[in-house]
Amino acid sequence: MKVGTTIYVLKTMIGNPVTRKVLAGMSNYCESDRKNRLEVALELYVGERDTACYKCKMALKPLSSVIKRGAKAFCVTEEEMKSAFKNSYYRKALASVIKGVADFGVNRPFIPGAPFQVVWDVTYACNLNCKHCYAEAGKKREDELSDEEALKLVDRLSDMGVTILAFSGGEPMVRGNIMEMAKRASDNGMYVSFATNGTLLTKERVREAKEAGVKYLQISLDGATAQVHDAFRGTPGAFDRTIQGIKNCVEADLFVSVATTATKVNYSEIPALIDLCEELGVEWFMLYNFVPTGRGREVLDIDLSPDEREEMLNMLFSKMEDVDCDLLTTAPQFARVALQHCAGTGTLVVPTHFNNTRVGENLFNITEFIGGCGAGRFYMAIRANGNIDPCVFFPLTVGNVREDDLMEIWKNNDILGDLRNKEILQDNCGSCEYRYHCGGCRARAYGYFNNYLAPDPGCVKNQLHYDAILKRIEIEDEIPIERIETIH
């Protein structure tokens, strides 16, 4: 099926006003079956549930019709769809997709009915002192959510339809009731992950995390050597403890992703880091963009230049086929780099924050619906005090869980609406032919220019903006360029 036909099917047969109204009526939370009606209907559809209330059963017929149309549009069989959605997390994600069609239509980029992922800084207490910490973590703050508030928030996020709940910080492992929170989230059907520095992941704590339902550990490692990593983390011995934590998680058969913030300091070590990840047996290597926020504002000089970032992303793509672990990055420019490499090959690799999507060239335009920065679109952040931000690197508060309705913010907040609209981006991001696959990092735009619609200065297409930042730094003498070496 051609691209135009596929999009036509999605928009006219699924995204039309009548179908959207029907889907909206199916998207409510069912008090009887204690889930979103779409999830209940999906469980009935794949045979994971035998009984349900009358209204949830009524949702099954129109849902089956939507799935059959979607399967036809993407050239897969209905049985293949049923097999995929035996996985409970896929069902939760599909329910969010269908709700997104009901609430927002078939938009480019696509907006789900709830965040696929919420990253929650559960505390700002931390046992390390990282130079680039976005949260400026160290000590617990007085206004952090109480244990009771935290558990209630877990329930609210589940009812909202969040698929992935990532506990971060600070260091989430130092929060006293973190395992109780993880188990509550897992019991509510969410995919649970920890974003951690890894130093506290003893075999006993890893066992506790696994028993609590934690599936995924993202462990920060900023260098292939102790010299570089420990300097970043501000603590001698952190490297060895983190490596041991990674080994403990791999041994426990948990999904492990190593996260590295790319900077001038560790830039040359990234190939060695990838090799180390393969040696350790981790599933993912996630390369994070440096974002000038939190303590990162004090070390602007370690950010990569556009040429360095371009070289790094090309290296990352070239190694994808040579290593066992998947290579991902939060740099949205990776999508452009990948498409440029894939041109004329018949297969496209379209990187997102969640995976590297491979599709045939006949589905090229479909990739425009999923790519690019996901801040306020595929994910959002919750701070330790309940503040709601577009992402953890993007300190622009749009509400607070203590007083605001999470779904109301997701559906109607003006800032989130702006972040979902690639048509209003400023040049060169706004005029770039890859803006729907990339569009630049909105957190970096906000961090550098206090304007989330500004261009991302980390792209080779925005070299003039990067040069202006360097000039500003030198004129204001905010951070002497020669201080880079002192980070080591």
Side-chain angles (χ1 to χ4, degrees):
M1 185 176 289
K2 293 182 178 180
V3 171
T5 306
T6 302
I7 295 175
Y8 175 80
V9 168
L10 292 173
K11 285 190 172 182
T12 61
M13 300 185 72
I14 299 176
N16 68 77
V18 174
T19 302
R20 286 178 61 190
K21 187 174 182 179
V22 172
L23 294 176
M26 296 161 45
S27 299
N28 298 322
Y29 183 82
C30 176
E31 293 291 346
S32 175
D33 293 315
R34 302 188 65 80
K35 281 188 178 179
N36 183 290
R37 292 196 191 283
L38 285 171
E39 285 189 67
V40 176
L42 280 169
E43 289 175 354
L44 292 169
Y45 177 73
V46 300
E48 292 293 313
R49 173 189 285 263
D50 296 323
T51 61
C53 75
Y54 173 75
K55 289 185 178 180
C56 287
K57 286 181 178 179
M58 288 291 291
L60 179 59
K61 185 174 181 179
L63 178 67
S64 300
S65 177
V66 167
I67 292 175
K68 288 176 182 177
R69 293 174 184 177
K72 182 179 180 181
F74 287 102
C75 305
V76 297
T77 67
E78 186 180 2
E79 286 308 308
E80 287 174 322
M81 294 284 274
K82 280 189 175 182
S83 177
F85 294 116
K86 288 283 186 179
N87 184 307
S88 62
Y89 304 120
Y90 286 178
R91 290 198 299 273
K92 202 170 201 46
L94 179 61
S96 185
V97 167
I98 295 172
K99 189 175 188 306
V101 172
D103 291 342
F104 304 106
V106 181
N107 286 322
R108 184 181 62 161
F110 181 74
I111 308 159
F116 281 142
Q117 175 174 275
V118 167
V119 181
W120 179 1
D121 294 341
V122 293
T123 182
Y124 289 127
C126 188
N127 60 323
L128 300 184
N129 185 32
C130 305
K131 295 183 183 298
H132 56 319
C133 179
Y134 69 80
E136 301 179 271
K139 294 182 179 180
K140 178 182 177 180
R141 298 174 193 169
E142 292 183 1
D143 61 349
E144 293 182 5
L145 297 178
S146 68
D147 290 354
E148 182 181 1
E149 288 176 314
L151 292 173
K152 287 181 178 178
L153 179 55
V154 170
D155 293 340
R156 288 171 63 190
L157 293 172
S158 175
D159 294 349
M160 184 183 180
V162 172
T163 303
I164 304 168
L165 183 54
F167 296 114
S168 185
E171 171 50 54
M173 298 286 288
V174 304
R175 176 159 181 142
N177 74 328
I178 187 61
M179 298 304 174
E180 184 182 9
M181 292 167 64
K183 188 174 189 311
R184 183 74 153 254
S186 178
D187 288 347
N188 279 343
M190 289 184 281
Y191 187 88
V192 182
S193 73
F194 284 174
T196 170
N197 62 45
T199 61
L200 304 179
L201 291 171
T202 63
K203 289 187 178 183
E204 175 64 19
R205 292 292 273 167
V206 169
R207 182 188 62 78
E208 290 176 4
K210 188 170 183 178
E211 289 178 353
V214 177
K215 304 292 186 184
Y216 174 103
L217 277 297
Q218 183 178 90
I219 303 172
S220 297
L221 190 64
D222 285 308
T225 61
Q227 179 186 8
V228 172
H229 178 78
D230 289 357
F232 257 107
R233 297 285 152 178
T235 305
F239 179 82
D240 292 337
R241 290 160 61 195
T242 297
I243 293 295
Q244 187 58 55
I246 293 171
K247 290 179 178 178
N248 291 341
C249 292
V250 171
E251 183 181 317
D253 199 27
L254 289 167
F255 193 108
V256 180
S257 170
V258 165
T260 300
T261 300
T263 68
K264 291 181 184 294
V265 177
N266 63 3
Y267 172 67
S268 62
E269 290 200 10
I270 289 173
L273 258 170
I274 294 172
D275 293 340
L276 177 58
C277 288
E278 189 172 27
E279 179 185 327
L280 291 169
V282 307
E283 280 84 358
W284 283 4
F285 173 73
M286 175 71 77
L287 202 55
Y288 271 81
N289 250 341
F290 172 83
V291 180
T293 188
R295 283 200 287 267
R297 291 172 298 187
E298 301 171 10
V299 289
L300 295 179
D301 48 329
I302 68 173
D303 194 8
L304 297 178
S305 70
D307 286 338
E308 288 169 332
R309 183 171 282 100
E310 191 78 0
E311 180 183 355
M312 178 190 70
L313 295 177
N314 277 283
M315 177 276 297
L316 200 66
F317 187 87
S318 68
K319 289 182 73 70
M320 285 176 64
E321 299 298 328
D322 300 330
V323 295
D324 291 332
C325 61
D326 284 341
L327 307 180
L328 300 97
T329 176
T330 62
Q333 293 84 9
F334 193 44
R336 169 183 55 77
V337 169
L339 291 173
Q340 289 170 337
H341 276 276
C342 292
T345 65
T347 301
L348 301 176
V349 178
V350 184
T352 70
H353 290 85
F354 300 103
N355 66 354
N356 293 320
T357 305
R358 296 175 185 271
V359 299
E361 285 190 339
N362 62 316
L363 289 177
F364 175 82
N365 282 12
I366 291 295
T367 64
E368 295 186 332
F369 286 77
I370 62 175
C373 178
R377 181 175 66 94
F378 275 166
Y379 48 80
M380 69 179 187
I382 297 176
R383 306 297 185 180
N385 66 353
N387 280 349
I388 304 166
D389 291 355
C391 92
V392 292
F393 301 105
F394 197 153
L396 182 60
T397 299
V398 298
N400 185 282
V401 301
R402 284 177 165 136
E403 54 196 44
D404 294 308
D405 184 298
L406 288 164
M407 186 55 75
E408 174 65 22
I409 288 174
W410 184 255
K411 291 176 66 173
N412 297 313
N413 182 265
D414 290 340
I415 292 173
L416 300 190
D418 286 347
L419 293 171
R420 299 163 180 171
N421 186 355
K422 298 295 183 75
E423 296 295 326
I424 61 175
L425 294 176
Q426 296 173 6
D427 285 341
N428 292 313
C429 288
S431 59
C432 181
E433 62 181 302
Y434 294 99
R435 68 184 178 277
Y436 286 105
H437 296 101
C438 170
C441 173
R442 297 300 96 212
R444 283 173 53 83
Y446 185 74
Y448 275 116
F449 302 113
N450 198 34
N451 176 2
Y452 53 75
L453 299 178
D456 178 351
C459 180
V460 290
K461 293 177 175 287
N462 293 329
Q463 182 69 47
L464 290 176
H465 298 279
Y466 176 76
D467 292 342
I469 288 170
L470 285 184
K471 186 175 182 180
R472 187 190 76 206
I473 292 173
E474 292 173 348
I475 289 174
E476 297 178 1
D477 197 28
E478 295 177 350
I479 302 171
I481 298 300
E482 59 270 18
R483 192 177 62 78
I484 295 174
E485 292 301 319
T486 66
I487 301 293
H488 285 278

